[in-house]
Amino acid sequence: GAGVSQSPSNKVTEKGKDVELRCDPISGHTALYWYRQRLGQGLEFLIYFQGNSAPDKSGLPSDRFSAERTGESVSTLTIQRTQQEDSAVYLCASSTYAEQFFGPGTRLTVL
Amino acid sequence: KNEVEQSPQNLTAQEGEFITINCSYSVGISALHWLQQHPGGGIVSLFMLSSGKKKHGRLIATINIQEKHSSLHITASHPRDSAVYICAVSTGGGADGLTFGKGTHLIIQP
């Protein structure tokens, strides 16, 4: 079946612009996660959605970052007023219980 | 906050060798994950375990909860096993955001 998909695969933006990244989870997966991987660094947790519960936003690095999820479907991660340090691969994952299935990521470059 | 340490950071071995990658963590967990990341590719979940041992093909993962330590073993290693192997832990019943180690970059030479 279809895996987790993300769009766009690559995004180049100018410093100060807003960007939206999209994640389509595997159908039926109630949990959805956003992670970030900056060049040469490990993966970092950003935010977690579980069903209709309030999201766990504890990993968001600043108030410029926000995310929404419509029901148990698509999620968008929004970064406002992008900075160069936001350049990274943004990964989405979904799960039914605990094993997480990762999307291919969106490579964001802020010039 | 859980600290996840992996060793070694880099490992180069010859085809056929037995490979061991280690992971230790500082706080009690609900589950430990081993992930594989190929260059330019996505991340694949290899194992999720909370106790004992799991085996899948040539891959074996073990965990010792008391010692807060896990190992990933690769038997009869092959160049296609070359990848970054990442240990990650969850603490909130399993289905929460993961805390990751920095990864082990494995190269298997023919």
Side-chain angles (χ1 to χ4, degrees), chain A residues 47-58:
Chain A
I47 188 169
Y48 156 56
F49 295 89
Q50 174 63 57
N52 294 318
S53 302
D56 176 0
K57 303 179 182 180
S58 59

Side-chain angles (χ1 to χ4, degrees), chain B residues 46-47 49 52-62 73 75:
Chain B
L46 298 175
F47 295 103
L49 64 166
K53 174 180 174 179
K54 287 192 176 181
K55 184 175 188 292
H56 184 228
R58 295 179 295 106
L59 301 177
I60 303 165
T62 64
H73 305 286
T75 62

Side-chain angles (χ1 to χ4, degrees), chain B:
Chain B
K1 181 182 174 182
N2 220 332
E3 301 291 333
V4 180
E5 300 286 341
Q6 282 187 242
S7 62
Q9 285 187 308
N10 296 281
L11 177 58
T12 299
Q14 295 299 120
E15 183 174 356
E17 287 189 36
F18 181 81
I19 303 299
T20 296
I21 300 170
N22 295 299
C23 175
S24 61
Y25 51 92
S26 57
V27 178
I29 62 171
S30 53
L32 184 141
H33 304 246
W34 282 103
L35 309 170
Q36 181 191 56
Q37 185 173 33
H38 280 281
I43 295 174
V44 174
S45 176
L46 298 175
F47 295 103
M48 185 194 71
L49 64 166
S50 54
S51 65
K53 174 180 174 179
K54 287 192 176 181
K55 184 175 188 292
H56 184 228
R58 295 179 295 106
L59 301 177
I60 303 165
T62 64
I63 188 168
N64 185 317
I65 296 296
Q66 286 73 32
E67 295 185 2
K68 297 186 176 61
H69 180 270
S70 175
S71 293
L72 176 69
H73 305 286
I74 306 174
T75 62
S77 59
H78 190 277
R80 65 175 173 268
D81 297 325
S82 298
V84 176
Y85 292 84
I86 303 168
C87 172
V89 300
S90 53
T91 54
D96 62 340
L98 299 176
T99 301
F100 300 86
K102 294 190 186 306
T104 295
H105 188 193
L106 174 65
I107 297 173
I108 304 296
Q109 295 178 335

